[in-house]
Structure formats: structure tokens, C-alpha cells
Amino acid sequence: MSSAEQPHPIVLQLRSIEGRLSNIEKALGIDDKPKTFIRKRTMVIIFVALIFAMAFMWGINYVLNTLFAALPV
């Protein structure tokens, strides 16, 4: 092989570093796939917040109805 066919040592070093970084990304679970608009975790948080808000409003409604029912007409 002539020297023109061999990659430069810096290019070889950069390829090696890139390979190591890709292995680290795979180990950490970092990937290039596109993320959904709303993540599952966000959907669960919204769902739990809605349930909490509905229960809170139902409780307020119950308390106010009980109080107003006790008032004389």
C-alpha cells in the first residue's frame, strides 16, 4: 500500500474515539431515534394530575353541597 491509500494517523485516532463514544452512548441508552411529541412519563404525570384535580373538585363540591344543604331556606 502506498502512503496515499493509508488514512492519516489523526483520522485513524478520530475513528477510534468515535467508536468508543458510540459504545458509551449505547451503554447509556442514548440513541438517535426521534422522540415522541409527549413522552410516556409526561402522559402519566398529566393523567395523575387530572385524577387528583377531579377528586379535589369532587371533594369541594361535596363539602359545599353539604354546607348549603344545612342552611335554612
Side-chain angles (χ1 to χ4, degrees), residues 12-48:
L12 292 175
Q13 196 69 6
L14 289 175
R15 287 180 186 166
S16 171
I17 292 171
E18 185 178 359
R20 291 178 188 154
L21 287 176
S22 68
N23 290 340
I24 292 171
E25 289 174 347
K26 286 178 188 174
L28 292 175
I30 300 171
D31 51 1
D32 292 336
K33 68 180 179 183
K35 304 228 183 286
T36 57
F37 182 68
I38 297 178
R39 294 182 183 178
K40 290 179 184 177
R41 180 180 59 201
T42 306
M43 289 189 285
V44 168
I45 290 172
I46 291 171
F47 183 71
V48 169

